[in-house]
Amino acid sequence: MSGDRRGGGPPGNGDNSGDLLHPLSPAPHPLPRFVDGRISAMAAPGRGRSRVYPYRRDDPEVEDSSDDDGDDDDDDDMSDDYDSDASEKSFETRKMNKWFKGFFEVIDSLTLDQVHEHTRQWHCPACKNGPGAIDWFKGLPSLVTHARTKGSKRVKLHRELAALLEEDMLRRGSSVVPSGEQFGKWKGLRESTDREIVWPPMVIVMNTLLEKDDDDKWLGMGNQELLEYFSDYAATKARHAYGPGGHRGMSVLIFESSAVGYMEAERLHKHFVDQRTDRDTWQNRRVPFLPGGKRQLYGFLARKEDMEMFNRHCQGKSRLKYEMRSHNEMVVAQMKQMSEDNQQLNYLKNKVVKTEKRSKVVEETLEAVTQKLRETMEENIFVRRKAKEKHSEYEEEMKSQETFFHDQIQNIHQATEDKVSEFERLLQEERAKARQCDVDSGTSENRRLRKEQVQRFIDCQVKDVQEFESETDQLIKAHEEKKVQLKKEYMAKELELEKEFDAALTSLMEKHKPDTFQASSS
């Protein structure tokens, strides 16, 4: 891929391979083996254990007091008897410092129980003749805490006092804080675990040189070629560092500006660590070429000094832009948010699945209910049709019965009228016979007797007719009253029958009433 291998101007010193021969940052030196009186005392059992906590200039808890002008004279006064490198002096010599001598004479004259009395109050010897000299500290622990945390006046002197007190208590078989008071007190993690990281996430790849061209400039790996070498990792861009001598053998893989991108960069970094081609190997024991002549690539997560090295020969827009951001803000917070989003997504997915299942059950139930309703409606239509047919049959039968009985009644009425007519005819005939009787023949007595007989017959007949008519009227009236009563009873029974039918039909509808459909809310 020679098209991607680019050179630069002629090197200032004839060769820029020095970028490969020197590490990006100074290699850490092995810790020195301290052989002084302090360490020797710890190592020699015959002389007892000795621990010294000298003041450290790089102690993060110690504040700079260089701007404190009020105690310059005090610091000068103690410069003759107190050396900042206190570890070079023996413990007893340090105790005899003019600042501490009187204080430790008092300490040595007391028993351990007296030293650890809570009611005993102390002046700070390091504050003597200065601010705080008159302050009382109740109990030895409060004095040691003051000496450890003093951050503006005679800082080194206070730290030395704290170290001497701890050492003195250790030599006497105790501690600054009695063992009974140490129960339940622990030190946890640091307050902050955050650190600054290069953003967007980048992985430095070293030893990407190839060869020199005809102009004695270095050629190296191209952008696409570098991406293909690490195609298993989701890098988005690749860049190479160039200088006066061409390709500098330093390349960078740029990842997405997200927590996922950082995880990919970190995964590649760990891959380099696992195969021992990481930063430490590159800086201390690199092997540029493998057997066979291939170059060994080295890689590690980019730091600020790496990016400054990468941009050493870049000016203006050619510089690779980056910024230092908080790891907690850019990665941890995003990962937490992604975890929460993932949990929410899983919850929503499960909810959707449950909703789909519930919808399917509701759909199947609705389909079954609809089918049942359809069948019920068809059955109801059939029942209503049959009922209508039966009703028509009953009406025809009722009409037939009504016609039959009406005809019977008409026949009875006609027979009754015929009987009445015949009865009247017989009366008329008998009356006519009586009137036609010869009353003029015979003696006068006989005529009189016959007239009287005829008259009695006529009068008796008239009386019978009147009684007949009266009794007939009463009979007709009673008959009509019976008919009205019968009709009332019939109508009442018909009404009762209709009410019984309505109640029975209502009960039947309640019995076969369809259940109310309710969708499940779970």
Side-chain angles (χ1 to χ4, degrees), residues 370-430:
T370 304
Q371 181 63 26
K372 185 67 176 179
L373 179 62
R374 189 181 300 111
E375 294 174 357
T376 304
M377 292 178 65
E378 293 175 355
E379 291 178 359
N380 290 340
I381 293 173
F382 176 76
V383 170
R384 285 198 296 269
R385 185 171 64 250
K386 296 296 291 185
K388 189 174 182 180
E389 292 176 358
K390 285 291 182 182
H391 181 69
S392 299
E393 291 179 2
Y394 293 149
E395 283 186 345
E396 291 294 332
E397 185 176 355
M398 291 294 292
K399 287 181 179 179
S400 177
Q401 291 290 333
E402 185 178 356
T403 301
F404 172 75
F405 286 110
H406 182 72
D407 292 342
Q408 292 293 322
I409 293 172
Q410 290 295 330
N411 291 335
I412 293 173
H413 288 172
Q414 186 63 38
T416 302
E417 289 178 358
D418 292 342
K419 289 178 181 181
V420 171
S421 296
E422 180 64 21
F423 179 75
E424 290 178 351
R425 188 183 63 77
L426 289 176
L427 287 176
Q428 293 296 332
E429 286 179 355
E430 293 297 327

Side-chain angles (χ1 to χ4, degrees), residues 167-337:
E167 176 66 17
D168 187 66
M169 290 298 103
L170 286 175
R171 289 176 176 238
R172 298 177 67 172
S174 180
S175 63
V176 174
V177 181
S179 59
E181 298 181 10
Q182 293 178 348
F183 178 79
K185 299 179 181 178
W186 299 271
K187 182 178 180 180
L189 298 173
R190 298 193 305 272
E191 292 183 2
S192 175
T193 58
D194 198 9
R195 65 180 188 275
E196 286 192 334
I197 57 175
V198 173
W199 200 260
M202 301 184 196
V203 171
I204 302 294
V205 181
M206 303 299 295
N207 203 26
T208 54
L209 289 176
L210 179 62
E211 60 186 2
K212 287 188 176 182
D213 60 8
D214 296 338
D215 296 330
D216 198 30
K217 295 180 181 179
W218 282 100
L219 301 175
M221 188 178 291
N223 294 342
Q224 189 60 35
E225 190 174 8
L226 182 61
L227 290 173
E228 290 176 357
Y229 261 85
F230 300 98
S231 58
D232 291 340
Y233 301 90
T236 57
K237 298 178 183 178
R239 290 281 299 274
H240 305 276
Y242 292 90
H247 200 294
R248 295 171 57 198
M250 184 179 186
S251 306
V252 63
L253 288 169
I254 306 173
F255 291 81
E256 178 185 337
S257 298
S258 66
V260 175
Y262 185 85
M263 296 304 293
E264 282 293 289
E266 192 173 46
R267 191 165 68 92
L268 177 56
H269 169 82
K270 290 180 179 179
H271 195 164
F272 279 115
V273 173
D274 291 341
Q275 69 177 21
R276 298 182 180 178
T277 54
D278 56 345
R279 180 189 298 273
D280 180 67
T281 307
W282 170 252
Q283 292 178 349
N284 299 310
R285 47 188 180 278
R286 73 184 71 165
V287 180
F289 293 94
L290 296 174
K294 291 186 177 181
R295 286 183 177 270
Q296 173 65 58
L297 297 179
Y298 295 82
F300 39 83
L301 276 174
R303 297 177 182 170
K304 183 177 182 180
E305 56 267 25
D306 301 329
M307 301 310 299
E308 293 301 320
M309 175 70 72
F310 187 91
N311 288 325
R312 175 182 293 176
H313 299 286
C314 300
Q315 300 295 332
K317 293 183 178 180
S318 64
R319 291 178 61 86
L320 181 57
K321 295 181 180 180
Y322 72 96
E323 56 183 339
M324 302 304 295
R325 301 295 297 272
S326 165
H327 177 267
N328 287 353
E329 175 187 356
M330 306 307 297
V331 181
V332 177
Q334 289 190 27
M335 294 299 293
K336 288 181 179 178
Q337 185 62 43

Side-chain angles (χ1 to χ4, degrees), residues 82 219 285 338 351 357 454 461:
Y82 175 70
L219 301 175
R285 47 188 180 278
M338 289 170 61
K351 188 174 182 180
K357 289 182 179 179
V454 170
Q461 191 180 42

